[in-house]
Amino acid sequence: MNFIGLAAGSLAAILVSLSVQAQDDERCKQGKSLRLVNGKIHTMDSRDRVVSSVLIRNGRFAAVGSEGHHGGDDCTEVINLRGRTAVPGIIDNHNHVVLLGLRPGHDTRIENARSIAEVQATFAARAREIPEGQWLTALGGFNISQFTPPPATARMPTLQELDTVTPKHPVLVMQGFNGPTATNSLGKAFFSGLNPPIPVDDNGVIPPVTQSIRALNALRALQTFAEQKRGLGYAMTYAAEVGVTTHLDQGGFPNVGVANSDNGVDALANFDRYRAYDSLRALYQEGKVFNRIWINFLHMESDPTTPELNARLLNVFNDFGDDMVRVLGIGEFTGGGLFPTGDAWRNGTRLVAMARWRNENHSLGFNVGGIPDWKIIIDGWQSVHDEVRVMPGLSDGITNLRWVLAHVPFMDTEYLNKLKGLGGGISLVGGWRYISGTATGNGPPFRLIIDSGIRAGMSSDGMQISPMNPWLGMYYAVTGRNARGDLINAGQLTTRKEILRLYTADNDWFLNLDGKIGTIEEGRFGDLIVLSGDYFDSKKVSDEEIKDVHSVLTVVNGKVVHDNLDGKKRMYWNRDSRRP
Ligand SMILES: [Zn+2]
């Protein structure tokens, strides 16, 4: 503060106010409480209560009801929601936020773009806030099929289209795990200068997988640790904007030190297991983690004795940490490779059962040896259960370990019942099939799974194969339509409330946080989002408009971590300029 030129009277007033401030800080040193009033707050509790006011103190909901119901005190900040709709913070029970944080360059989320013009608008907005010359990158989370509505065929933005909006920033755009990949003129100049050069065609396309992965790793080689921390901060910022307050991260594939292989190794989903969590730990120690980040460790190894998994289980505590960062279990692989086959997977799974950890495996719906992967996993879990339950102290087998089958594009009642009998649950995904699903590559069977009564919860599986934005997944569950507008999942639709419940209240079980998170009830974690529109009213937010829902106020652990209530903060993914 500049005191020069202040009249004595106003200086005295400032000193008084500073001392009041000091007393206030002393009194409020436990942290300020937060009271939200005049809202339409859907608690998602078992009675489906809608209340107008909540008080959050010490990170927990302290009172839930109406304005007259509770007061707070001098240390309470009051925010008037002016009738807006609020819901519990979204819990994403399966994603890859750690990988997103590790992306080189300034991540530019184009997962919400529905045309090339919207891709351009998103880059233009990002370019305005990033110093010239620095890389803008859009790596994973989208599918080119979403950029060119039918009848046009799916394609990348061209070099010329990228140059129009990013003349002063090099750009790299990469789909999925290893391409297709495109760049702009400044990017092309950089890649041409490498030794050996990375070829870029006239349209900005970097041709084969090998060269795409080389391009990615050329940028990774430039990345500093400070940039990794910045990247994770940005990933949490984006999550807060779309309303995700809690992540259960499912790890990455191990780097093998081959940065340009045809097999797609050291591609977008790979990381250095020794260093991958450094930025998360550093931000945690600095008190700068503002999403809840739960960790599963992914184990991909071919040695049938699974030495790495064995070491993990012997030397790491499971379900350990605090309410913001916590190690949970093993997943989404348990030894072996991409598919649940062979001795490594089988032995790894047995080890996890004997160590009594949680376990999660993904099902992509592919056949392995003529048998669907989900049948192999559930039958494999059954036989591991039968093996270990005769061992001393393990008579309940895996039935209390809450093992989770993820994605499940396909499933049937017989196997749902088997999994239920093993105490397992299902992590459903929406965004994956939304951006790339087809009439036969569809699912998951939301209706079948919800109606079966098995434990089920929602996830995004962002950020390679699928977008993080939960509203795209909810749109897909409610309408059955993919990003190209094709109805591909008819007969398996959910209501809006059902799918939101899977993304909030029902996800407490997936984090071992039963009764502690996911609803707005006294004593639960103080995580809440205020929505851009009334999601529950189809007259105010049409089915198509579900895709545009986002958070205008995000509260995590009782603290405001994103505030756009007045509409003045330009979002990173820029809703306003998104429609050119
Ligand atoms: Zn995953």
Side-chain angles (χ1 to χ4, degrees):
M1 187 178 292
N2 180 6
F3 288 98
I4 295 168
L6 281 176
S10 58
L11 178 60
I14 285 170
L15 292 174
V16 168
S17 106
L18 284 175
S19 99
V20 168
Q21 181 71 41
Q23 285 168 17
D24 203 43
D25 288 348
E26 181 60 26
R27 206 170 44 242
C28 302
K29 72 181 176 206
Q30 298 298 328
K32 283 208 170 204
S33 305
L34 182 65
R35 192 151 70 100
L36 307 179
V37 299
N38 195 21
K40 228 178 182 174
I41 303 170
H42 291 252
T43 64
M44 304 302 282
D45 70 6
S46 57
R47 288 178 293 155
D48 257 340
R49 277 195 308 159
V50 180
V51 300
S52 61
S53 172
V54 297
L55 177 70
I56 311 177
R57 185 184 286 143
N58 298 328
R60 305 291 170 107
F61 289 110
V64 174
S66 56
E67 271 74 13
H69 188 74
H70 46 71
D73 53 34
D74 294 352
C75 294
T76 304
E77 179 187 357
V78 179
I79 298 178
N80 187 338
L81 299 185
R82 302 184 196 287
R84 284 190 183 272
T85 300
V87 299
I90 301 288
I91 301 164
D92 190 344
N93 81 29
H94 180 126
N95 75 24
H96 299 272
V97 69
V98 171
L99 274 166
L100 179 63
L102 293 170
R103 301 270 203 261
H106 292 271
D107 179 56
T108 306
R109 291 283 87 199
I110 57 174
E111 61 187 41
N112 301 297
R114 287 171 226 154
S115 65
I116 295 288
E118 290 184 11
V119 172
Q120 291 176 298
T122 307
F123 271 110
R126 195 74 165 122
R128 280 197 287 275
E129 64 189 3
I130 302 298
E132 291 176 10
Q134 298 192 14
W135 281 90
L136 305 183
T137 54
L139 309 174
F142 64 88
N143 187 288
I144 54 172
S145 70
Q146 73 193 69
F147 301 148
T148 49
T153 49
R155 69 170 177 87
M156 274 286 188
T158 64
L159 174 142
Q160 294 75 19
E161 287 161 345
L162 292 170
D163 277 352
T164 309
V165 289
T166 54
K168 293 179 175 154
H169 298 78
V171 168
L172 186 67
V173 182
M174 183 182 208
Q175 177 182 294
F177 298 91
N178 48 32
T181 305
T183 189
N184 65 352
S185 288
L186 286 177
K188 182 174 179 174
F190 170 82
F191 293 124
S192 305
L194 295 178
N195 184 22
I198 294 174
V200 178
D201 78 11
D202 290 344
N203 275 328
V205 174
I206 297 174
V209 167
T210 314
Q211 299 300 331
S212 289
I213 293 172
R214 274 194 66 213
L216 170 67
N217 286 297
L219 297 199
R220 281 174 168 164
L222 302 174
Q223 192 183 32
T224 65
F225 184 55
E227 288 168 350
Q228 289 189 350
K229 288 165 66 180
R230 181 192 72 199
L232 184 58
Y234 172 69
M236 291 190 285
T237 300
Y238 178 73
E241 288 175 355
V242 293
V244 175
T245 54
T246 300
H247 312 262
L248 173 48
D249 187 85
Q250 304 279 342
F253 305 157
N255 270 357
V256 295
V258 184
N260 56 2
S261 156
D262 281 328
N263 299 323
V265 293
D266 290 6
L268 208 52
N270 294 68
F271 61 29
D272 175 350
R273 285 164 303 155
Y274 296 106
R275 299 274 72 91
Y277 302 98
D278 286 359
S279 46
L280 174 61
R281 290 190 305 135
L283 290 184
Y284 177 75
Q285 277 154 12
E286 293 166 21
K288 290 178 183 163
V289 173
F290 59 90
N291 295 174
R292 299 183 195 278
I293 301 182
W294 256 236
I295 299 293
N296 272 356
F297 290 115
L298 183 152
H299 276 271
M300 181 187 244
E301 57 182 320
S302 54
D303 185 329
T305 65
T306 66
E308 293 173 12
L309 179 55
N310 197 30
R312 174 90 65 195
L313 297 170
L314 282 170
N315 296 298
V316 176
F317 299 133
N318 61 320
D319 203 5
F320 188 79
D322 68 12
D323 294 342
M324 294 304 294
V325 177
R326 197 170 182 91
V327 167
L328 191 68
I330 300 297
E332 58 185 302
F333 297 172
T334 318
L338 205 53
F339 297 106
T341 54
D343 290 344
W345 179 75
R346 175 57 183 254
N347 293 339
T349 301
R350 188 192 306 105
L351 271 181
V352 176
M354 291 167 64
R356 299 187 67 75
W357 280 50
R358 290 193 71 137
N359 190 17
E360 179 157 346
N361 271 201
H362 79 163
S363 158
L364 295 174
F366 293 129
N367 287 352
V368 184
I371 305 169
D373 57 4
W374 44 278
K375 291 190 177 181
I376 296 173
I377 293 166
I378 294 172
D379 285 335
W381 286 357
Q382 178 70 56
S383 73
V384 163
H385 169 74
D386 293 338
E387 263 182 83
V388 301
R389 62 192 295 211
V390 298
M391 298 177 185
L394 301 177
S395 60
D396 59 347
I398 67 168
T399 56
N400 291 310
L401 304 183
R402 301 188 173 189
W403 285 12
V404 170
L405 188 67
H407 315 336
V408 287
F410 309 113
M411 179 49 62
D412 67 20
T413 302
E414 180 194 351
Y415 276 80
L416 274 174
N417 286 333
K418 280 190 186 180
L419 184 57
K420 213 195 287 184
L422 292 168
I426 289 197
S427 165
L428 290 157
V429 64
W432 172 37
R433 294 311 211 193
Y434 166 72
I435 60 168
S436 56
T438 62
T440 50
N442 60 356
F446 292 106
R447 199 65 274 147
L448 178 82
I449 289 167
I450 293 170
D451 292 347
S452 79
I454 197 168
R455 290 282 185 175
M458 244 331 243
S459 75
S460 70
D461 200 20
M463 319 309 162
Q464 283 73 240
I465 203 172
S466 184
M468 185 207 290
N469 184 348
W471 305 97
L472 299 177
M474 287 191 261
Y475 166 82
Y476 175 69
V478 168
T479 67
R481 289 186 188 279
N482 67 12
R484 293 182 79 75
D486 303 327
L487 179 61
I488 61 170
N489 209 29
Q492 294 296 338
L493 307 184
T494 76
T495 67
R496 295 183 187 203
K497 191 172 281 176
E498 276 177 323
I499 199 66
L500 184 63
R501 183 171 296 284
L502 290 173
Y503 244 137
T504 54
D506 291 351
N507 266 342
D508 63 352
W509 183 89
F510 288 80
L511 300 171
N512 292 349
L513 286 176
D514 307 40
K516 292 183 180 163
I517 198 172
T519 69
I520 297 171
E521 293 181 86
E522 287 169 21
R524 292 214 186 196
F525 292 179
D527 302 352
L528 167 151
I529 56 176
V530 179
L531 302 182
S532 55
D534 189 350
Y535 168 76
F536 297 98
D537 186 343
S538 60
K539 291 194 199 75
K540 291 182 180 149
V541 174
S542 69
D543 282 354
E544 284 306 305
E545 287 166 341
I546 293 174
K547 290 183 277 195
D548 287 327
V549 173
H550 54 281
S551 175
V552 292
L553 184 82
T554 300
V555 177
V556 178
N557 210 30
K559 293 198 178 69
V560 173
V561 301
H562 162 66
D563 179 359
N564 196 28
L565 272 176
D566 62 7
K568 285 184 183 153
K569 179 177 172 184
R570 203 186 48 64
M571 315 264 286
Y572 282 98
W573 50 317
N574 210 300
R575 274 292 166 205
D576 301 329
S577 67
R578 210 169 61 75
R579 306 252 169 264

